[in-house]
Amino acid sequence: MSEQIIIKSPHEIELMRKAGRLTAQARAYAGSLIRPGITTRELDEAIFKFIRKHGGYPSFYHLYGFKGSACISINDEIIHGVPGKYRLKEGDIVSVDVGACIGDYHLNANKCVDRGGWHGDCCATFPVGKISEEAQRLIDATEGSFWNGIQYAKAGNHVSDISRGVQEYAESHGYSLVREYTGHGVGASVHEAPEVPNYVERRQGRGPVLVPGMVLAVEPMVNAGSAAIRNRTMPDGWVVPLTADGKLAAHYENTILITNGEPEILTRCED
């Protein structure tokens, strides 16, 4: 992740609107396919084809060695779930984290630095068939924490103001925020500065000042139980974080633009 916060020009912002729109459309398309019986690999392949058909490239494809087009996380998997043979079951909840790039996307030789074009990044947690009331409350509170956080995403405020809004909402509903992973800047790379935590600690200070032209991925990762995580290491070394207590986790994310007024959601389907 670049340490420099990159302010986007009006032309770059317009390109990011296109990338964000495609990313949101891919998220919505994935949601329409979720049903008992579909495998996470089938879902991932459909997302890949959708993004390519509409002129983009899946931002996460092989990034950092990831084996998929979208991170698909089930139940107690918090983020970074790897598509595979698992068939979704009635009552599961599934987080689909999607990135799409408009432009000449490529990875460096180590597949750990992405360059070319402009990215969107978004996620939502979906029910598989009929789910428990507890699971639905978690999904709703996770999305609600995002909306509560971005009401503070205004020029002159600080990154920590967003973080505090997310934290206060989630914790007021009895949930925990993951500490090890954060939101981030987005632009010509999927991950840019600054980090956007979902919680506030005094030692971190208030964080950077928000200024027009900053583009951020705000992404609450909310656990039904404790904030503690445990890691599952895949055969290829990829790490998937899960809730330490085995309780459910949910994830919600949009890419937003800081403006002179209200923040603009770039990952939205409508024009």
Side-chain angles (χ1 to χ4, degrees):
M1 179 187 293
S2 169
E3 295 300 320
Q4 180 182 3
I5 298 175
I6 302 170
I7 305 303
K8 278 64 180 183
S9 70
H11 174 66
E12 292 167 344
I13 289 168
E14 188 55 40
L15 293 172
M16 292 199 70
R17 286 191 180 104
K18 293 180 180 179
R21 187 177 303 120
L22 176 56
T23 308
Q25 289 169 342
R27 174 178 59 183
Y29 176 63
S32 73
L33 298 177
I34 289 173
R35 64 184 187 278
I38 190 172
T39 69
T40 54
R41 180 174 292 125
E42 289 169 340
L43 185 58
D44 184 71
E45 289 172 349
I47 293 168
F48 180 92
K49 291 176 182 177
F50 180 91
I51 293 173
R52 295 297 289 144
K53 177 182 177 181
H54 290 85
Y57 194 85
S59 301
F60 306 158
Y61 190 61
H62 289 174
L63 181 62
Y64 312 129
F66 180 65
K67 300 296 194 299
S69 303
C71 296
I72 302 177
S73 308
I74 312 298
N75 295 332
D76 62 343
E77 295 177 339
I78 299 167
I79 52 173
H80 300 166
V82 181
K85 297 179 180 179
Y86 181 82
R87 292 189 182 278
L88 298 181
K89 303 192 304 292
E90 185 92 11
D92 284 343
I93 63 172
V94 52
S95 299
V96 182
D97 191 354
V98 182
C101 179
I102 299 295
D104 182 23
Y105 178 83
H106 60 277
L107 299 175
N108 71 355
N110 296 320
K111 297 184 177 179
C112 63
V113 178
D114 55 309
R115 287 290 182 270
W118 298 92
H119 297 269
D121 189 2
C122 66
C123 180
T125 302
F126 298 97
V128 182
K130 185 177 181 181
I131 62 173
S132 68
E133 291 183 4
E134 176 187 1
Q136 188 62 58
R137 283 195 299 270
L138 173 65
I139 291 173
D140 293 343
T142 301
E143 181 173 350
S145 69
F146 166 85
W147 294 108
N148 197 63
I150 69 159
Q151 69 177 311
Y152 304 102
K154 297 179 180 179
N157 285 350
H158 292 72
V159 165
S160 62
D161 294 315
I162 301 173
S163 306
R164 183 175 292 103
V166 169
Q167 182 177 19
E168 288 179 348
Y169 189 94
E171 291 184 349
S172 73
H173 285 73
Y175 300 118
S176 302
L177 280 308
V178 172
R179 263 55 176 173
E180 290 82 356
Y181 298 91
T182 70
H184 50 87
V186 186
S189 181
V190 180
H191 298 109
E192 295 182 351
E195 290 189 343
V196 185
N198 295 307
Y199 64 97
V200 176
E201 288 186 356
R202 287 184 181 177
R203 63 180 177 81
Q204 294 174 318
R206 298 193 65 190
V209 175
L210 302 175
V211 299
M214 288 176 65
V215 179
L216 308 173
V218 178
E219 51 177 321
M221 291 155 269
V222 181
N223 292 352
S226 79
I229 71 170
R230 59 189 172 92
N231 290 324
R232 175 192 295 147
T233 302
M234 310 298 286
D236 62 359
W238 185 260
V239 175
V240 179
L242 300 89
T243 60
D245 54 18
K247 294 185 177 181
L248 296 176
H251 184 194
Y252 187 81
E253 174 186 22
N254 279 306
T255 301
I256 69 168
L257 168 69
I258 304 301
T259 73
N260 286 311
E262 297 297 321
E264 178 182 344
I265 307 294
L266 299 181
T267 43
R268 59 180 186 175
C269 295
E270 62 274 9
D271 293 331

